[in-house]
Amino acid sequence: MKKVLIATDKPFAKEAVESIESIGKNAGYEVVKLEKYTSKEQLLEAVADVDAMIIRSDIADRDVMNAAKNLKIVVRAGAGYDNIDLSAATEKGVVAMNTPGQNSNAVAELAFGMMVYSARGGFDGKTGSELRGKTLGIHAYGNVGKYVAQIAKGFGMKLFAFDPFLKDSDIEADGITPVHSVEELYKKCQYVSLHIPANEKTKKSINKDLLSVMPKGAVLVNTARKEVIHEDDLLAIMTERNDFRYLSDIAPDCAHVFEEKFSGRFFFTPKKMGAQTEEANINAGIAAINQIIAFLENGDMKYKVN
Ligand code: 3PG
């Protein structure tokens, strides 16, 4: 019997796990779990005899690939696969996949939760501001960016998007104004919502050149990855401009400086929360087990990323 491991440091909702187990069982697979593990050794031990694994932001590095002697497929139940060593996976003949779009609405809703919270001063009883009529720049118009756009329309925001991989007409079709450089996006928009992946090209790419051209009352919203921010530059901007705010799903490495110096101008989730809804867990979890079955049974590699 083939064995599927669900390895989640941050576990899925109970309903999601039950669905994965039942789909796996009905297809004739044994489904095992390693949740809330506290050491890499536990993960290395758990992967030893599995044919497939489902992970979230869990690190699937070369050690994991080496330890997983029978592994044929790893599915990241989510969008960003910067936690998987793709070269190591490819060298070992392991197929890596993600489940694009399955948790995107949850992430987009969190972006708005943070924006409203910040615009209203953390609900501190003082006069805040509204999102209606404000400019919002969507940096990368993928699955999350599209949900952000839909929600922003309800809020009556003025929308702009930058995505070098799309044609203007793809963006215009959704009633959004495309811009043709990141600089233009940051210059035009009071709010910028980041939806770029973390890779060698994007790491530390959100730097002073971009942040300094944002208009008065600038708000940078990061539900992507902390690694895409140039933290020294961000600290410099926060210091120079007391109108600048930073909202992020997961604290930056320099969070202590924000706490000391920039009170009231930032918000960080205590843990990565974007995809932490029951719905997103169920969608991504079910997609992951179905992709594993489709691959192992029929060689379906639709969502392969390596
Ligand atoms: C993603 O890339 O899908 C999100 O960042 C969610 O990550 P998580 O599953 O670890 O919450």
Side-chain angles (χ1 to χ4, degrees):
M1 192 184 266
K2 290 205 178 85
K3 197 166 174 181
V4 180
L5 170 70
I6 308 173
T8 46
D9 166 43
K10 191 172 57 182
F12 289 121
K14 193 169 160 276
E15 291 72 6
V17 176
E18 284 167 2
S19 299
I20 297 168
E21 285 170 336
S22 121
I23 294 170
K25 205 172 154 205
N26 288 339
Y29 291 71
E30 183 191 357
V31 180
V32 293
K33 284 182 297 186
L34 173 71
E35 293 181 331
K36 290 187 188 170
Y37 51 94
T38 48
S39 74
K40 186 172 171 177
E41 282 62 43
Q42 287 174 277
L43 179 62
L44 296 181
E45 207 175 294
V47 299
D49 62 346
V50 303
D51 297 278
M53 67 191 278
I54 299 173
I55 56 173
R56 294 185 64 179
S57 291
D58 306 80
I59 308 295
D61 61 10
R62 190 169 287 276
D63 295 338
V64 172
M65 299 298 163
N66 286 335
K69 303 276 181 244
N70 296 337
L71 191 67
K72 291 149 195 80
I73 175 168
V74 53
V75 180
R76 192 276 189 252
Y81 44 87
D82 46 309
N83 50 326
I84 304 178
D85 185 332
L86 294 183
S87 318
T90 305
E91 279 169 38
K92 292 275 161 191
V94 173
V95 166
M97 293 189 186
N98 66 348
T99 65
Q102 301 293 345
N103 59 17
S104 307
N105 182 63
V107 178
E109 287 191 13
L110 179 70
F112 275 85
M114 295 196 295
M115 282 158 70
V116 172
Y117 180 81
S118 168
R120 292 302 181 93
F123 308 120
D124 63 355
K126 297 189 189 127
T127 300
S129 63
E130 299 180 22
L131 299 182
R132 179 165 293 274
K134 305 294 190 300
T135 45
L136 171 65
I138 302 173
H139 189 166
Y141 195 61
N143 290 310
V144 183
K146 285 179 186 157
Y147 278 109
V148 164
Q150 280 177 24
I151 300 170
K153 283 181 193 168
F155 273 93
M157 299 184 88
K158 292 180 193 141
L159 286 168
F160 300 86
F162 172 73
D163 196 318
F165 301 103
L166 293 180
K167 296 195 291 282
D168 279 3
S169 54
D170 296 329
I171 295 173
E172 283 161 350
D174 292 344
I176 293 150
T177 307
V179 297
H180 302 106
S181 70
V182 256
E183 290 75 16
E184 195 186 347
L185 188 79
Y186 284 66
K187 209 171 196 162
K188 271 195 157 71
C189 297
Q190 181 182 348
Y191 285 83
V192 170
S193 192
L194 284 169
H195 303 293
I196 52 177
N199 55 40
E200 286 324 306
K201 278 198 181 133
T202 62
K203 281 181 188 166
K204 290 185 192 278
S205 66
I206 308 306
N207 56 23
K208 204 168 174 191
D209 291 346
L210 288 179
L211 300 176
S212 60
V213 298
M214 288 181 76
K216 195 171 175 346
V219 184
L220 180 66
V221 186
N222 185 5
T223 54
R225 291 286 183 273
K226 67 176 179 177
E227 290 81 4
V228 302
I229 305 289
H230 193 298
E231 292 196 9
D232 288 343
D233 284 6
L234 176 64
L235 287 177
I237 288 286
M238 292 291 298
T239 307
E240 279 165 30
R241 288 180 51 173
N242 64 11
D243 64 309
F244 201 102
R245 282 177 284 159
Y246 181 53
L247 315 175
S248 180
D249 183 17
I250 204 171
D253 294 336
C254 60
H256 58 284
V257 184
F258 276 79
E259 273 144 30
E260 277 160 33
K261 297 188 175 168
F262 309 127
S263 172
R265 293 200 282 132
F266 69 93
F267 175 79
F268 306 139
T269 53
K271 213 170 183 167
K272 193 139 81 76
M273 289 288 296
Q276 278 297 62
T277 66
E278 199 170 272
E279 294 87 340
N281 288 176
I282 291 170
N283 292 343
I286 290 178
I289 186 71
N290 283 333
Q291 287 173 213
I292 286 171
I293 295 168
F295 171 69
L296 291 176
E297 302 302 321
N298 307 315
D300 184 342
M301 294 202 255
K302 185 166 175 206
Y303 296 104
K304 185 169 180 273
V305 295
N306 65 333

